[in-house]
Amino acid sequence: AQITNGSVEFADAQAGQSYVLTALDATLKLVDLKGAGRVEMSALYKGQPVKVAGVVNGVQQLLDGGVQGVDLSASAGGNTVSFKGSAGLDPLQAKGAVTGAVNDQITLFALMDQVPPRIPEGLGQKVKVSGELTLTADNQMFLRGATIDLDQNRLTGALDVALRDTPYVTAQLQADRLDFSAMSTDTSEGDGAANAGAGGWSDARIDVSGLSGVNGEFSLKANGIDLGSMQLAATDLKGTLDRARLVLDLANVGVFDGIVAGQFVVNGRGGLSVGGDLRASSVAMQKVLNDFAGFDRLVGDAGMSLKFLGVGGTMNEIMNGLTGSGRMDVGSGELLGLDIAGMIKNLDASYQGEGSKTVFDEI
C-alpha cells in the first residue's frame, strides 16, 4: 500500500483538537497478516518534517492484543529516537533497548506549540539518551542502565517516570565530573555581585513556572562539579520537587577543601522564595576570600553556618529583602603581611615586613 503527497487528519472530539499530517509519503509492505509488516513514512506535522520507519514481526498478533517484536525509528528535524524489542497495543506496553537524541530544539518545541527555552551549555542544548526501556500497562516507564549526555556532561543510572497528569520522576544518577561553568556570569561583564553597590541587581523577572511541570525525587553523586566561579569536589545530594517546590538536601558537598551540608529550597508556589540552612566545616578561607574578594592574606580553616530567606520575583527584590543570620569561626591561622611588631617598632600602621605574618589562635 502506498500514499503519495497525501494528508491525514485525526480529530480528537473529546479534547477538541485535531492533528494533521500533510505532504505524506508512506509505504506499507505486508506479505501476510501473520507475518512481518514494514512501514516507511515521511510527512510534515505543524510545519516540521517527521519520519517514521519500522518492522513489526507479527501484525495480526499485535492487532489482536499480543506482544510482538518491533524495530522502530522516528525523527523530527535533527531529533531522533529508536526502539528495538517487544511491544503490545492493548494494553500499551513495551520492553527493549531505546536510544534518542535531541539536536534541534526549535523543531522539537514547535511540535509542542512551545517556544524553546534558553538552556545554558551543560544542561542539555544537545541531549543523548540510551538504556533499557520498560513501559508497563499502568503507565509506568522504567529506564535502566541509562546513559544521559547533556552536551559535554555524562550521567549514568536509573530513571522511572509515572505518566500522570503531572508526571512523577524518580532518578538515581552518577557522574565523574560535570561542567556547568556556562551558568556562571562573567563578572567582568558586570553581574549582580559586581554591580550591587550601584544598585545593579537584575530586575528581570525570574520564571520558575517549569517547576510545576513535573514532580519527583532524585539523587546525584559526582566526583566534581565546575560552577565557573566555584569548584565543587566530591558531591552527594538529593532533591525533591513537589508542586513547584524544590528542596535540595546536601549530604556531602566538597568545596574549598572543606565540606558543606544542609538544605537549599526554591519555592515557586504562588510567587518565588529562596531559602537555605547550610553548614560548612574545614573550609580554606584563603581560597574562599581570594576567589570572591581578591583577598589572599587570611590563612586558616573555618567552620560556617548560614540561614537565609529571600522573597521576590527578581534578583533585585530577593537581595534587597534578604533576611538571615550567619556565623564563621576560624581556628588557628595566619594573617600574611601583617607585622604588628614591625608597626610598633617603626611607628607605622601601614608597615609590612617582607615575609611577615601574624599568627592567631582563633577568630
Side-chain angles (χ1 to χ4, degrees), residues 92-148:
L92 184 63
Q93 56 187 300
K95 185 174 183 179
V98 64
T99 60
V102 177
N103 297 308
D104 180 1
Q105 293 196 23
I106 294 177
T107 296
L108 181 64
F109 282 89
L111 294 175
M112 298 183 287
D113 294 323
Q114 297 180 6
V115 177
R118 183 182 178 277
I119 300 176
E121 183 181 3
L123 288 180
Q125 292 182 355
K126 294 187 177 181
V127 181
K128 291 183 180 179
V129 178
S130 63
E132 290 296 319
L133 174 71
T134 300
L135 177 64
T136 63
D138 58 350
N139 291 327
Q140 301 276 342
M141 186 174 70
F142 307 96
L143 188 63
R144 295 291 181 264
T147 298
I148 304 170

Side-chain angles (χ1 to χ4, degrees), residues 25 40-44 48-53 73-77 79 81:
D25 293 329
E40 293 183 0
M41 184 195 80
S42 65
L44 291 177
Q48 307 301 319
V50 296
K51 293 182 179 180
V52 176
S73 63
S75 66
N79 308 301
V81 63

Side-chain angles (χ1 to χ4, degrees), residues 126-292:
K126 294 187 177 181
V127 181
K128 291 183 180 179
V129 178
S130 63
E132 290 296 319
L133 174 71
T134 300
L135 177 64
T136 63
D138 58 350
N139 291 327
Q140 301 276 342
M141 186 174 70
F142 307 96
L143 188 63
R144 295 291 181 264
T147 298
I148 304 170
D149 291 333
L150 305 176
D151 302 319
Q152 71 273 27
N153 294 317
R154 170 163 290 188
L155 301 105
T156 59
L159 186 69
D160 300 344
V161 180
L163 301 174
R164 309 169 183 169
D165 291 340
T166 301
Y168 192 93
V169 178
T170 305
Q172 298 87 35
L173 301 173
Q174 304 87 38
D176 182 16
R177 297 194 62 83
L178 298 173
D179 180 7
F180 298 138
S181 58
M183 297 173 59
S184 176
T185 303
D186 187 352
T187 56
S188 65
E189 298 295 329
D191 66 358
N195 293 327
W201 294 112
S202 173
D203 284 319
R205 305 302 298 181
I206 301 174
D207 184 6
V208 293
S209 59
L211 293 178
S212 60
V214 64
N215 295 323
E217 54 188 304
F218 67 91
S219 64
L220 172 65
K221 293 182 178 181
N223 292 330
I225 301 178
D226 181 358
L227 297 177
S229 60
M230 183 182 298
Q231 303 292 322
L232 303 184
T235 298
D236 184 357
L237 61 86
K238 295 181 180 180
T240 58
L241 180 56
D242 178 40
R243 293 176 293 119
R245 185 174 185 267
L246 174 64
V247 179
L248 295 178
D249 289 303
L250 312 179
N252 185 3
V253 178
V255 58
F256 296 112
D257 298 340
I259 298 296
V260 174
Q263 193 174 80
F264 183 81
V265 179
V266 179
N267 190 350
R269 298 175 183 172
L272 173 62
S273 64
V274 293
D277 184 357
L278 305 174
R279 302 171 301 281
S281 60
S282 301
V283 174
M285 287 306 300
Q286 187 180 43
K287 293 184 176 181
V288 174
L289 294 175
N290 187 50
D291 280 6
F292 288 101

Side-chain angles (χ1 to χ4, degrees), residues 49-73:
V50 296
K51 293 182 179 180
V52 176
V55 177
V56 177
N57 287 344
V59 175
Q60 185 65 61
Q61 297 91 322
L62 185 71
L63 295 175
D64 289 341
V67 175
Q68 290 295 303
V70 296
D71 188 350
L72 300 173
S73 63

Side-chain angles (χ1 to χ4, degrees), residues 2-27:
Q2 189 170 27
I3 299 174
T4 302
N5 195 27
S7 64
V8 174
E9 178 179 2
F10 171 69
D12 187 340
Q14 186 172 6
Q17 294 180 323
S18 62
Y19 307 90
V20 181
L21 290 174
T22 59
L24 173 63
D25 293 329
T27 301

